[in-house]
């Protein structure tokens, strides 16, 4: 429940003091024990805990100092262990039950933070629970969520156009983890996929490629036109498409 912050500019100095640039320590307290699971930021520093969401600030346009810290309990949904992601001015996190995806954002009309349920119209899409997620900003704004049963759920997000669209991706195997990595022309989505090849259980590191509609595929080029192709041992015993 406690947050420690180092001295300004000295990341390994945690000697507490009362000066504005001294190290500090404070407890995120409420009416119950709420272990902190994640720290993030949108308009303020956000502590996502097992029992609720807290904003940490120094007041209006003021920094956090040892003598100036405001901790406010913004909501009581609770967060699981899946790392939250920021999309625009919203912080997307999975609720404690692993089923509801919430988007936390500051609401000017109420001067508080709200976290509406983004899966309310597709409650079935998160069945079995979410265990990992990653956000791809380019070329399309898509949030990838790995379910506990190995299915991938995706959420296309475009708040400016009021687009919230869910879809489901499946493969000849089970998705176990997902990550989004920057590249020259956008971001690449990589996944750990558990497959059964030749009667053995294997795990492959694969990436999503636009225009390729096969599972676990590879790309090869032969100028003169080859009749025999190698490098396909990872597909042993599988029916393939070309």
């Amino acid at each position: 429940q406690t947050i420690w912050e180092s001295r300004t500019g000295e990341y390994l100095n945690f000697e507490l003091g009362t000066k504005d640039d001294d190290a500090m320590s404070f407890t995120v307290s409420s009416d119950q024990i709420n272990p902190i699971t994640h720290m993030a930021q949108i308009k303020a520093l956000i502590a996502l805990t097992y029992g609720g969401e807290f904003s940490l600030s120094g007041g209006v346009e003021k920094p956090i100092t040892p003598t100036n810290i405001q901790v406010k309990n913004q909501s009581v949904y609770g967060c699981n262990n899946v790392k939250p992601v920021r999309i625009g001015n919203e912080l997307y996190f999975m609720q404690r039950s692993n089923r509801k995806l919430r988007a936390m954002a500051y609401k000017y009309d109420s001067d508080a933070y709200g976290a509406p349920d983004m899966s309310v119209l597709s409650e079935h899409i998160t069945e079995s629970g979410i265990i990992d997620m990653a956000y791809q900003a380019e070329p399309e704004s898509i949030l990838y969520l790995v379910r506990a049963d190995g299915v991938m759920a995706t959420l296309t997000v475009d708040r400016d156009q009021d687009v919230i669209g869910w879809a489901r991706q499946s493969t000849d195997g089970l998705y176990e983890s997902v990550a989004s990595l920057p590249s020259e022309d956008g971001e690449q989505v990589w996944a750990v996929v558990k497959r059964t090849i030749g009667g053995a259980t294997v795990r492959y590191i694969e990436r999503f490629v636009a225009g390729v509609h096969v599972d676990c595929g590879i790309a090869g080029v032969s100028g003169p036109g080859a009749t025999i192709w190698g490098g396909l041992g990872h597909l042993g015993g599988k029916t393939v498409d070309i």
Side-chain angles (χ1 to χ4, degrees):
Q1 297 184 102
T2 302
I3 296 174
W4 290 267
E5 298 184 7
S6 70
R7 181 180 175 87
T8 302
E10 299 180 21
Y11 307 127
L12 300 180
N13 185 347
F14 286 89
E15 184 175 354
L16 302 179
T18 57
K19 296 180 180 179
D20 286 354
D21 62 348
D22 279 341
M24 68 190 85
S25 172
F26 53 89
T27 298
V28 180
S29 59
S30 63
D31 58 346
Q32 63 181 12
I33 296 177
N34 288 322
I36 298 172
T37 55
H38 303 285
M39 297 290 293
Q41 66 90 19
I42 32 180
K43 186 178 174 63
L45 184 63
I46 303 296
L48 299 173
T49 76
Y50 182 78
E53 294 69 52
F54 296 81
S55 64
L56 316 172
S57 68
V60 180
E61 300 298 330
K62 293 182 179 179
I64 297 175
T65 69
T67 58
N68 182 34
I69 175 69
Q70 297 181 12
V71 181
K72 297 182 178 179
N73 188 191
Q74 300 292 342
S75 56
V76 291
Y77 299 116
C79 181
N80 71 356
N81 290 326
V82 177
K83 183 180 179 181
V85 299
R86 178 171 175 174
I87 303 178
N89 293 321
E90 297 177 311
L91 184 66
Y92 285 68
F93 68 93
M94 292 303 304
Q95 195 169 329
R96 186 172 59 229
S97 63
N98 301 339
R99 288 293 304 273
K100 293 182 178 180
L101 176 68
R102 295 193 173 272
M104 187 176 187
Y106 179 75
K107 308 297 183 182
Y108 291 96
D109 53 351
S110 60
D111 190 27
Y113 289 83
D117 182 6
M118 304 302 292
S119 51
V120 64
L121 297 180
S122 302
E123 293 181 348
H124 64 285
I125 203 71
T126 57
E127 286 181 355
S128 79
I130 302 299
I131 60 173
D132 194 17
M133 64 180 180
Y135 174 61
Q136 178 189 36
E138 292 287 346
E140 303 292 343
S141 176
I142 302 176
L143 180 63
Y144 291 78
L145 304 97
V146 179
R147 301 192 334 191
D149 61 359
V151 174
M152 181 87 74
T154 57
L155 174 65
T156 302
V157 182
D158 189 339
R159 283 301 210 177
D160 293 335
Q161 304 299 327
D162 293 329
V163 172
I164 298 292
W166 285 97
R168 184 176 56 188
Q169 322 295 330
S170 59
T171 184
D172 182 22
L174 304 174
Y175 291 108
E176 292 188 331
S177 182
V178 66
S180 179
L181 306 178
S183 63
E184 293 181 355
D185 57 351
E187 291 175 311
Q188 295 179 347
V189 176
W190 292 75
V192 176
V193 187
K194 180 180 177 181
R195 301 187 184 280
T196 301
I197 304 294
T201 299
V202 297
R203 285 176 173 83
Y204 293 150
I205 309 297
E206 307 174 13
R207 68 184 176 99
F208 288 83
V209 179
V212 178
H213 305 293
V214 295
D215 296 327
C216 201
I218 63 171
V221 177
S222 173
T227 56
I228 299 177
W229 291 80
L232 300 174
H234 69 292
L235 295 174
K238 294 292 184 180
T239 301
V240 299
D241 192 11
I242 299 174

CSV table of all heavy atoms in Angstrom, one decimal, residues 69-93:
chain,number,residue,atom,x,y,z
A,69,ILE,N,0.9,16.3,-0.9
A,69,ILE,CA,0.5,15.1,-1.6
A,69,ILE,C,-1.0,14.9,-1.4
A,69,ILE,O,-1.5,14.9,-0.2
A,69,ILE,CB,1.3,13.8,-1.2
A,69,ILE,CG1,0.7,12.6,-1.9
A,69,ILE,CG2,1.3,13.7,0.3
A,69,ILE,CD1,0.9,12.6,-3.4
A,70,GLN,N,-1.8,14.8,-2.4
A,70,GLN,CA,-3.2,14.6,-2.3
A,70,GLN,C,-3.5,13.2,-3.0
A,70,GLN,O,-3.2,13.0,-4.1
A,70,GLN,CB,-4.0,15.7,-3.1
A,70,GLN,CG,-3.8,17.0,-2.5
A,70,GLN,CD,-4.6,18.1,-3.2
A,70,GLN,OE1,-5.5,17.8,-4.0
A,70,GLN,NE2,-4.3,19.4,-2.9
A,71,VAL,N,-4.1,12.3,-2.2
A,71,VAL,CA,-4.5,11.0,-2.6
A,71,VAL,C,-6.0,10.9,-2.6
A,71,VAL,O,-6.6,11.1,-1.5
A,71,VAL,CB,-3.9,9.9,-1.7
A,71,VAL,CG1,-4.3,8.5,-2.2
A,71,VAL,CG2,-2.4,10.1,-1.7
A,72,LYS,N,-6.6,10.6,-3.7
A,72,LYS,CA,-8.1,10.6,-3.8
A,72,LYS,C,-8.5,9.2,-4.4
A,72,LYS,O,-7.9,8.8,-5.5
A,72,LYS,CB,-8.6,11.7,-4.7
A,72,LYS,CG,-8.3,13.1,-4.1
A,72,LYS,CD,-8.9,14.2,-5.0
A,72,LYS,CE,-8.7,15.6,-4.4
A,72,LYS,NZ,-9.3,16.6,-5.2
A,73,ASN,N,-9.4,8.6,-3.8
A,73,ASN,CA,-10.0,7.3,-4.3
A,73,ASN,C,-11.0,7.6,-5.4
A,73,ASN,O,-12.1,8.1,-5.1
A,73,ASN,CB,-10.6,6.5,-3.2
A,73,ASN,CG,-11.0,5.1,-3.5
A,73,ASN,OD1,-11.7,4.5,-2.8
A,73,ASN,ND2,-10.6,4.7,-4.7
A,74,GLN,N,-10.7,7.4,-6.7
A,74,GLN,CA,-11.5,7.8,-7.8
A,74,GLN,C,-12.6,6.8,-8.1
A,74,GLN,O,-13.7,7.1,-8.5
A,74,GLN,CB,-10.7,8.1,-9.0
A,74,GLN,CG,-9.7,9.2,-8.8
A,74,GLN,CD,-10.3,10.5,-8.7
A,74,GLN,OE1,-11.4,10.8,-9.0
A,74,GLN,NE2,-9.5,11.5,-8.2
A,75,SER,N,-12.3,5.5,-7.9
A,75,SER,CA,-13.3,4.4,-8.2
A,75,SER,C,-12.9,3.2,-7.4
A,75,SER,O,-11.8,3.1,-6.8
A,75,SER,CB,-13.4,4.1,-9.7
A,75,SER,OG,-12.1,3.8,-10.2
A,76,VAL,N,-13.8,2.2,-7.3
A,76,VAL,CA,-13.6,1.0,-6.5
A,76,VAL,C,-13.7,-0.2,-7.3
A,76,VAL,O,-14.2,-1.2,-6.8
A,76,VAL,CB,-14.5,1.0,-5.2
A,76,VAL,CG1,-14.1,2.1,-4.3
A,76,VAL,CG2,-16.0,1.2,-5.7
A,77,TYR,N,-13.3,-0.2,-8.5
A,77,TYR,CA,-13.5,-1.4,-9.4
A,77,TYR,C,-12.4,-2.5,-9.1
A,77,TYR,O,-12.6,-3.7,-9.1
A,77,TYR,CB,-13.4,-1.1,-10.8
A,77,TYR,CG,-14.5,-0.1,-11.2
A,77,TYR,CD1,-14.3,1.2,-11.7
A,77,TYR,CD2,-15.9,-0.5,-11.1
A,77,TYR,CE1,-15.3,2.0,-12.1
A,77,TYR,CE2,-16.9,0.3,-11.5
A,77,TYR,CZ,-16.6,1.6,-12.0
A,77,TYR,OH,-17.6,2.5,-12.3
A,78,GLY,N,-11.2,-2.0,-8.8
A,78,GLY,CA,-10.0,-2.9,-8.6
A,78,GLY,C,-9.4,-3.4,-9.9
A,78,GLY,O,-10.0,-3.4,-10.9
A,79,CYS,N,-8.1,-3.7,-9.8
A,79,CYS,CA,-7.4,-4.1,-11.0
A,79,CYS,C,-6.7,-5.4,-10.8
A,79,CYS,O,-6.3,-5.8,-9.7
A,79,CYS,CB,-6.3,-3.0,-11.3
A,79,CYS,SG,-5.3,-3.3,-12.7
A,80,ASN,N,-6.5,-6.2,-11.9
A,80,ASN,CA,-5.8,-7.5,-11.8
A,80,ASN,C,-4.4,-7.3,-12.2
A,80,ASN,O,-3.9,-6.2,-12.2
A,80,ASN,CB,-6.5,-8.5,-12.7
A,80,ASN,CG,-6.3,-8.2,-14.2
A,80,ASN,OD1,-5.7,-7.2,-14.6
A,80,ASN,ND2,-6.7,-9.1,-15.1
A,81,ASN,N,-3.6,-8.4,-12.4
A,81,ASN,CA,-2.2,-8.3,-12.6
A,81,ASN,C,-1.8,-8.0,-14.0
A,81,ASN,O,-0.6,-7.8,-14.3
A,81,ASN,CB,-1.5,-9.6,-12.2
A,81,ASN,CG,-1.6,-9.8,-10.7
A,81,ASN,OD1,-1.5,-8.8,-9.9
A,81,ASN,ND2,-1.7,-11.0,-10.2
A,82,VAL,N,-2.7,-7.8,-15.0
A,82,VAL,CA,-2.4,-7.5,-16.4
A,82,VAL,C,-2.0,-6.0,-16.4
A,82,VAL,O,-2.7,-5.2,-16.0
A,82,VAL,CB,-3.6,-7.8,-17.3
A,82,VAL,CG1,-3.2,-7.4,-18.7
A,82,VAL,CG2,-3.9,-9.3,-17.2
A,83,LYS,N,-0.8,-5.8,-17.0
A,83,LYS,CA,-0.3,-4.4,-17.1
A,83,LYS,C,-1.3,-3.5,-17.9
A,83,LYS,O,-1.6,-3.9,-19.1
A,83,LYS,CB,1.1,-4.4,-17.8
A,83,LYS,CG,1.7,-3.0,-17.8
A,83,LYS,CD,3.1,-3.1,-18.5
A,83,LYS,CE,3.7,-1.7,-18.5
A,83,LYS,NZ,5.0,-1.7,-19.2
A,84,PRO,N,-1.7,-2.4,-17.4
A,84,PRO,CA,-2.6,-1.5,-18.1
A,84,PRO,C,-1.9,-0.8,-19.3
A,84,PRO,O,-0.7,-0.7,-19.3
A,84,PRO,CB,-3.1,-0.5,-17.0
A,84,PRO,CG,-2.0,-0.5,-16.0
A,84,PRO,CD,-1.4,-1.9,-16.0
A,85,VAL,N,-2.7,-0.3,-20.2
A,85,VAL,CA,-2.1,0.4,-21.4
A,85,VAL,C,-2.8,1.7,-21.5
A,85,VAL,O,-4.0,1.8,-21.2
A,85,VAL,CB,-2.2,-0.4,-22.7
A,85,VAL,CG1,-1.4,-1.7,-22.5
A,85,VAL,CG2,-3.6,-0.7,-23.0
A,86,ARG,N,-2.1,2.7,-22.0
A,86,ARG,CA,-2.7,4.0,-22.2
A,86,ARG,C,-3.0,4.2,-23.7
A,86,ARG,O,-2.1,3.9,-24.6
A,86,ARG,CB,-1.8,5.1,-21.8
A,86,ARG,CG,-2.3,6.5,-22.0
A,86,ARG,CD,-1.5,7.6,-21.4
A,86,ARG,NE,-2.0,8.9,-21.8
A,86,ARG,CZ,-1.6,10.1,-21.3
A,86,ARG,NH1,-0.6,10.1,-20.4
A,86,ARG,NH2,-2.1,11.2,-21.7
A,87,ILE,N,-4.2,4.6,-24.0
A,87,ILE,CA,-4.7,4.9,-25.4
A,87,ILE,C,-5.2,6.3,-25.4
A,87,ILE,O,-6.3,6.5,-24.8
A,87,ILE,CB,-5.7,3.9,-25.9
A,87,ILE,CG1,-5.2,2.4,-25.8
A,87,ILE,CG2,-6.1,4.2,-27.3
A,87,ILE,CD1,-6.2,1.4,-26.2
A,88,GLY,N,-4.5,7.2,-26.0
A,88,GLY,CA,-5.0,8.6,-26.0
A,88,GLY,C,-4.9,9.2,-24.6
A,88,GLY,O,-3.9,9.1,-23.9
A,89,ASN,N,-6.0,9.7,-24.1
A,89,ASN,CA,-6.1,10.2,-22.8
A,89,ASN,C,-6.8,9.3,-21.8
A,89,ASN,O,-7.3,9.7,-20.7
A,89,ASN,CB,-6.9,11.6,-22.8
A,89,ASN,CG,-6.2,12.7,-23.5
A,89,ASN,OD1,-4.9,12.8,-23.4
A,89,ASN,ND2,-6.9,13.5,-24.3
A,90,GLU,N,-6.9,8.0,-22.2
A,90,GLU,CA,-7.5,7.0,-21.3
A,90,GLU,C,-6.5,5.9,-20.9
A,90,GLU,O,-5.6,5.6,-21.7
A,90,GLU,CB,-8.7,6.4,-22.1
A,90,GLU,CG,-9.8,7.3,-22.4
A,90,GLU,CD,-10.9,6.7,-23.2
A,90,GLU,OE1,-10.6,6.0,-24.2
A,90,GLU,OE2,-12.1,6.8,-22.9
A,91,LEU,N,-6.7,5.4,-19.7
A,91,LEU,CA,-5.9,4.3,-19.2
A,91,LEU,C,-6.8,3.0,-19.2
A,91,LEU,O,-7.8,2.9,-18.4
A,91,LEU,CB,-5.4,4.6,-17.8
A,91,LEU,CG,-4.5,3.6,-17.2
A,91,LEU,CD1,-3.2,3.5,-18.0
A,91,LEU,CD2,-4.2,3.9,-15.7
A,92,TYR,N,-6.5,2.0,-20.0
A,92,TYR,CA,-7.3,0.8,-20.1
A,92,TYR,C,-6.7,-0.2,-19.1
A,92,TYR,O,-5.5,-0.6,-19.2
A,92,TYR,CB,-7.2,0.3,-21.5
A,92,TYR,CG,-8.1,1.1,-22.5
A,92,TYR,CD1,-7.8,2.4,-22.8
A,92,TYR,CD2,-9.3,0.5,-23.0
A,92,TYR,CE1,-8.6,3.1,-23.7
A,92,TYR,CE2,-10.1,1.2,-23.9
A,92,TYR,CZ,-9.7,2.5,-24.2
A,92,TYR,OH,-10.6,3.2,-25.1
A,93,PHE,N,-7.5,-0.8,-18.3
A,93,PHE,CA,-7.1,-1.8,-17.3
A,93,PHE,C,-8.2,-2.9,-17.2
A,93,PHE,O,-9.4,-2.6,-17.4
A,93,PHE,CB,-6.7,-1.2,-16.0
A,93,PHE,CG,-7.9,-0.6,-15.2
A,93,PHE,CD1,-8.6,-1.4,-14.3
A,93,PHE,CD2,-8.3,0.7,-15.4
A,93,PHE,CE1,-9.6,-0.9,-13.6
A,93,PHE,CE2,-9.3,1.2,-14.7
A,93,PHE,CZ,-10.0,0.5,-13.8
